[in-house]
Amino acid sequence: MIQLYTNEKKLIEKAAAGDRKAQKHLYDKHASRMLSVCRQYVLPVELAEELMLNGFFKVFTKLDSFSHQGSFEGWVRRIMVRECIDYLRKKDPFKYSSSIDEEKEPACMDEDTDDDIDMNVLQQAIDGLPVGYKTVFVMYAIDGFKHGEIAQVLQISESTSKTQFRKARLMLQEELKMMKKKHYEA
């Protein structure tokens, strides 16, 4: 019989001490959300699963360093993000451009692109971004990193991070406009 743990701090302490049931409970509790985090950065889903498992290995080997000062899920999420970024950096070092193409830049998003967007369509559009744009976009817009943090993690300048985010946003806006146009023409 699996013992249910209600006190997360106690659960984390037991998992840090090597209690396999506590570790499994933590894994079961957070795995689906962490797979979604990894999936934001990499395709295919099998690769995201592999990175998530590697991330959980790091979580369980570093549990004793968790200070209980913030949310445990946030701590785990940061480990997953760093695992994905490390993989992407090894696979293909990030190539960043530090200038914005001003003439292609719309003043703001059209009102008609503001409609509800199917999450699968949005994910497809995000997946279509170049790796550097996608990484910065996901870190900033989805994972809540600040540009200074992104710059430090990716070893780029803060202005490059801001530029990459801006370019990603513009590309997404254009892609979503085209998808919407195709939908209405069909």
Side-chain angles (χ1 to χ4, degrees):
M1 184 169 123
I2 296 175
Q3 180 180 359
L4 295 176
Y5 298 96
T6 55
N7 182 336
E8 188 170 67
K9 185 174 181 179
K10 188 169 185 93
L11 177 64
I12 293 167
E13 289 169 357
K14 286 183 177 242
D19 181 324
R20 296 287 185 201
K21 288 180 183 176
Q23 290 174 347
K24 180 169 180 358
H25 186 79
L26 283 175
Y27 175 84
D28 290 344
K29 182 177 179 182
H30 297 284
S32 65
R33 277 177 263 152
M34 295 308 120
L35 179 58
S36 294
V37 169
C38 294
R39 173 58 192 83
Q40 291 291 327
Y41 289 91
V42 297
L43 277 175
V45 73
E46 294 81 13
L47 177 57
E49 288 171 347
E50 181 180 334
L51 292 173
M52 178 197 67
L53 291 173
N54 292 344
F56 269 108
F57 176 76
K58 288 181 180 176
V59 165
F60 293 132
T61 58
K62 296 179 181 192
L63 264 179
D64 57 342
S65 70
F66 178 63
S67 64
H68 300 279
Q69 293 299 316
S71 95
F72 179 70
E73 183 176 335
W75 183 76
V76 173
R77 180 184 206 95
R78 286 198 178 255
I79 291 172
M80 296 298 163
V81 168
R82 288 184 187 267
E83 186 69 23
C84 292
I85 290 169
D86 287 348
Y87 167 80
L88 291 171
R89 188 177 289 130
K90 287 176 191 171
K91 179 184 171 222
D92 185 23
F94 294 102
K95 296 176 182 113
Y96 293 99
S97 168
S98 62
S99 64
I100 296 176
D101 191 358
E102 297 292 336
E103 60 272 3
K104 289 185 178 178
E105 189 175 322
C108 63
M109 219 170 145
D110 290 346
E111 302 81 36
D112 34 315
T113 58
D114 201 18
D115 294 342
D116 289 332
I117 298 170
D118 181 328
M119 291 308 291
N120 291 327
V121 170
L122 181 58
Q123 184 62 56
Q124 253 185 332
I126 292 170
D127 289 340
L129 292 171
V131 173
Y133 293 7
K134 176 182 176 181
T135 303
V136 171
F137 181 83
V138 171
M139 289 180 78
Y140 185 82
I142 297 172
D143 289 330
F145 283 82
K146 304 287 186 232
H147 286 293
E149 295 172 308
I150 296 168
Q152 185 178 12
V153 169
L154 298 181
Q155 300 170 347
I156 59 175
S157 72
E158 190 170 336
S159 64
T160 299
S161 175
K162 290 176 182 178
T163 299
Q164 295 296 302
F165 175 74
R166 179 86 172 145
K167 287 182 172 185
R169 204 173 118 240
L170 295 172
M171 285 183 76
L172 282 174
Q173 287 173 350
E174 288 302 313
E175 181 64 24
L176 292 173
K177 282 181 196 176
M178 287 182 2
M179 288 176 164
K180 188 173 183 176
K181 185 178 178 183
K182 287 179 185 176
H183 174 74
Y184 284 120
E185 289 175 352

